[in-house]
Amino acid sequence: NYQISEDEMVRKLIAQTKESSIRATIQQLSSYHDRYYKSKTGVEAANWIKGFWQKLVGEKSGISVKTVDHNGWEQPSVVMTWQGSETPNEIVVIGGHLDSINGRGNTRLKAPGADDNASGIATISEVIRVLVESNFKPKKTIKFMGYAAEEVGLRGSAEIARQHKNQGAKVVGVMQLDMTNYNGSQDDFNLVSDYTSDKQNKFIAELAKKYLPQLKVGYTRCGYGCSDHASWHNNGFPASMPFEAKFNQSNRSIHTERDTLGQMGGNANHALKFSKLATAFVVEMAKHAD
Ligand SMILES: N[C@H](Cc1ccc(I)cc1)C(=O)NO
Ligand SMILES: [Zn+2]
Ligand SMILES: [Zn+2]
């Protein structure tokens, strides 16, 4: 059952999130020719994320950052594991995909993927930064994930979610962040209602109401497994995806060379809201051990 109990810690951490650091990460990740799952730069980008998360973690104990290799293509996924202090077998997952694509995989053209999905990785990275720079100590284990090969059939997250199912892992909740920076609709957060958990969506809406009362929550549908949350949902785990806009008002530049930060106003103001919501989610799901 979903309890809200970490008021003080959540408010402190939400206040620490910064638009400038999210923007810097989007700039960095969208500077590669592409992050295609089969290209050299696609592997380079994944390794850059690993190094970046490692740098954020520093010497903090109980945290590991690893690449996860996949069968059949080079680009690894990246997983940061923060051991819980009380119930380490219970796992909270927050993830997004790190690959990009132009069209159906045309590597002659650039695939900067600033919104799809550098924005999601930058949002997750900002959650990591504020958490590790504070005295936060999770009771449950938290796994931050950058999935490979989402654009070619959710392949990285399918492997990882299936592994967790086969190992009987107790994943208590998953938040997916894919496209957080194109402000296309009236509502700030658009919770995807299919291939997700209604109960967890309700909890996330409650978190937004309590901690971000000036922001608006709405719902939208994909009609198919439109991002990595579907991999977790299909393996029986509660998943949610707060999305940038309504389906028909989302960023139309994705999967083209025009998916750049400039196309989104040159700032990360919209993604900043998602970093606050994601921080509240992770802290309220994993709880803080005083
Ligand atoms: N299809 C998804 C983008 C996408 C996701 C959700 C919604 I609603 C609309 C569009 C994609 O390309 N993910 O990488
Ligand atoms: Zn995406
Ligand atoms: Zn995409």
Side-chain angles (χ1 to χ4, degrees), residues 29-263:
L29 286 174
S30 54
S31 68
Y32 294 98
H33 177 271
D34 62 56
R35 300 191 304 278
Y36 187 57
Y37 83 120
K38 283 203 155 171
S39 70
K40 237 170 58 53
T41 45
V43 175
E44 268 172 49
N47 289 322
W48 181 85
I49 291 166
K50 182 189 183 236
F52 181 44
W53 287 3
Q54 224 136 28
K55 197 159 64 54
L56 289 174
V57 169
E59 298 311 310
K60 201 151 188 145
S61 65
I63 305 179
S64 69
V65 183
K66 294 199 172 71
T67 49
V68 173
D69 290 327
H70 295 288
N71 329 314
W73 70 90
E74 294 294 296
Q75 185 181 62
S77 296
V78 181
V79 177
M80 172 181 145
T81 304
W82 192 341
Q83 282 299 326
S85 64
E86 281 188 22
T87 52
N89 63 316
E90 294 188 325
I91 304 166
V92 180
V93 174
I94 172 160
H97 69 90
L98 51 75
D99 64 318
S100 73
I101 196 168
N102 187 311
R104 305 169 66 79
N106 177 348
T107 49
R108 284 199 320 285
L109 297 174
K110 284 185 172 199
D115 193 29
D116 189 13
N117 185 35
S119 70
I121 296 296
T123 303
I124 293 164
S125 302
E126 184 63 353
V127 176
I128 292 171
R129 186 186 68 80
V130 299
L131 290 189
V132 298
E133 286 182 4
S134 74
N135 64 334
F136 175 65
K137 191 169 184 258
K139 289 185 178 175
K140 294 185 173 78
T141 292
I142 307 170
K143 291 191 178 184
F144 299 92
M145 300 197 179
Y147 307 113
E150 183 271 351
E151 300 287 8
V152 286
L154 320 182
R155 290 171 58 180
S157 60
E159 268 189 35
I160 291 172
R162 190 170 48 250
Q163 245 163 35
H164 280 75
K165 173 135 173 286
N166 294 344
Q167 286 156 4
K170 201 172 175 202
V171 178
V172 296
V174 181
M175 176 177 275
Q176 172 73 359
L177 293 169
D178 183 359
M179 296 166 60
T180 62
N181 202 42
Y182 179 80
N183 191 357
S185 303
Q186 282 296 314
D187 293 331
D188 297 287
F189 304 118
N190 298 270
L191 295 173
V192 172
S193 56
D194 50 345
Y195 295 86
T196 56
S197 155
D198 292 345
K199 276 181 65 182
Q200 188 174 265
N201 290 345
K202 238 192 265 332
F203 176 58
I204 291 170
E206 263 179 61
L207 291 174
K209 189 153 168 271
K210 176 182 170 73
Y211 292 116
L212 303 163
Q214 74 286 6
L215 299 181
K216 298 222 289 292
V217 178
Y219 293 83
T220 190
R221 268 175 61 79
C222 276
Y224 66 104
C226 57
S227 193
D228 300 299
H229 58 288
S231 294
W232 293 98
H233 179 79
N234 293 337
N235 280 281
F237 299 112
S240 297
M241 179 158 91
F243 189 67
E244 67 186 16
K246 302 294 173 220
F247 182 85
N248 55 4
Q249 294 175 315
S250 62
N251 191 343
R252 287 207 289 276
S253 301
I254 63 168
H255 303 179
T256 78
E257 59 287 357
R258 297 183 308 282
D259 180 1
T260 61
L261 187 64
Q263 273 282 330

